Amino acid sequence: MRMNATILFPLCLSTLLAQDTGTAHKAAATALLNSNNSGAARLACPATIGPVSTANSPGGPGRAGGPPGGAAKGGGAAKGRGPAATPPKENWYAEGGQVFDNLYMLTTKVNSAWAVKTSQGIILIDTLFGYAAQDAIVDGLKKVGLDPADIKYIIVSHAHGDHDGAVKFLQDTYKPRIIMGPKDWELSAREADPPRHDIEATDGQKVTLGDTTVTIYITPGHTGGTLSVLVPVKDHGQPHLAMEWGGTALSGGTSKEMLESYISNAKRLKDISDGAGADVIIVNHTEYNDALNRFERTKARKAGEPNPWIVGKGEVEKYLTVVEECAKAWLAIGDGRP
Ligand SMILES: [Zn+2]
């Protein structure tokens, strides 16, 4: 046995090295795809294996008002803001609502924000585009019996307009504390009407409001200060743990440094999520895990049926492996290993 292992080792190693290519990493991601992650792969993986592909750029066609392409390079964060970019409501409006005892999806067709209800108010994760604030956030909360005046914290996954677009409005209106990654405070400061600088997130930071503690991780890659979160949720009183990977999309314009950071942070969050027992995936782009469909299934759920958001630890791990492999594919392509 010992001899076999010695002989096999160099072979395995050379096979592994030979597989560090865009094609191999995309294939590794593709092998794991299902409805819990395939949308994430569409936005994170190279659409075609080639050094100049921008086919899945987050700012590409069909994402009117979406975050600017080459998102990871920073700058241009204000693109897509303002009245000129406001599309007609029928183009973006989508119904959200309750998905756990204490978690509410506030959404548009493209983006989701999340309201965590605690014993002492609301922690809001992301804010959507500014134009959706009234209908999706303010009225969305009222519709489920919550009071937007109870928003005490807003955690911003990253400073792109589709997630931080309503921060200033909500800050002015309800006076919550705003938490962003330090680098993304810098990004947001370049916006036309930036929010007032508030709390700079730290890695592993625990945000406690009443009976609930959300944990924040700084996971750069999509932007320099992207935040991911773990959120304790309850389903009919049973505790579960939700994971949000705060910045998913990559493009041909994402720098090598950001890709390397993305890869190591996806790996790190996988270990953290695994250790903490995360078994629910929440997303800030509905496409990532088919969230609109999932919400419809949640609404139609009958007593005794499983909650469509509870996917199990293995699926959380798979989601983070898929995005990690997508980033590795981009990295390999950039290094001339298509
Ligand atoms: Zn973004």
Side-chain angles (χ1 to χ4, degrees), residues 67 158 160 163 222:
H158 61 280
H160 285 159
H163 310 290
H222 179 73

Side-chain angles (χ1 to χ4, degrees), residues 40 49 70 74 78 134 176 201 208 222 243-244 275 301 337:
I49 299 297
Q134 185 63 43
T208 300
H222 179 73
M243 181 281 301
E244 179 177 312
R301 180 186 180 201
R337 289 175 280 108

Side-chain angles (χ1 to χ4, degrees), residues 24-231:
H25 287 299
K26 199 182 168 192
T30 305
L32 300 176
L33 297 189
N34 62 34
S35 63
N36 294 322
N37 59 42
S38 60
R42 266 196 299 280
L43 284 167
C45 255
T48 53
I49 299 297
V52 291
S53 171
T54 53
N56 69 348
S57 158
R63 297 184 198 291
K73 285 187 290 193
K79 203 170 98 183
R81 277 164 198 286
T86 302
K89 187 175 168 181
E90 65 267 25
N91 287 9
W92 59 264
Y93 184 78
E95 195 199 346
Q98 187 167 20
V99 301
F100 280 94
D101 300 357
N102 62 329
L103 187 70
Y104 301 79
M105 174 172 158
L106 306 172
T107 196
T108 66
K109 286 190 167 98
V110 173
N111 296 110
S112 294
W114 299 88
V116 185
K117 184 177 81 176
T118 82
S119 59
Q120 284 181 19
I122 296 165
I123 300 171
L124 184 68
I125 302 165
D126 280 343
T127 71
L128 311 172
F129 277 117
Y131 59 71
Q134 185 63 43
D135 292 300
I137 307 269
V138 176
D139 294 343
L141 285 170
K142 287 179 182 167
K143 224 171 68 182
V144 295
L146 297 177
D147 183 352
D150 290 337
I151 301 173
K152 299 288 191 265
Y153 287 102
I154 299 177
I155 299 169
V156 182
S157 68
H158 61 280
H160 285 159
D162 51 341
H163 310 290
D164 76 347
V167 170
K168 179 65 166 35
F169 163 76
L170 295 168
Q171 186 180 41
D172 288 347
T173 310
Y174 303 114
K175 317 282 186 261
R177 301 300 306 269
I178 313 293
I179 305 174
M180 258 197 266
K183 287 262 169 61
D184 281 37
W185 275 116
E186 289 172 25
L187 260 188
S188 77
R190 295 183 222 155
E191 292 165 4
D193 184 21
R196 282 178 307 285
H197 192 102
D198 197 7
I199 300 170
E200 294 191 355
T202 56
D203 192 58
Q205 181 174 9
K206 293 191 180 302
V207 179
T208 300
L209 184 62
D211 57 359
T212 306
T213 298
V214 172
T215 312
I216 296 175
Y217 298 93
I218 303 187
T219 56
H222 179 73
T223 63
T226 294
L227 304 181
S228 295
V229 289
L230 292 181
V231 183

Side-chain angles (χ1 to χ4, degrees), residues 260-274:
E260 284 169 344
S261 178
Y262 190 105
I263 291 163
S264 67
N265 280 298
K267 241 183 245 169
R268 189 169 73 95
L269 194 67
K270 198 162 34 174
D271 289 343
I272 291 168
S273 298
D274 187 50

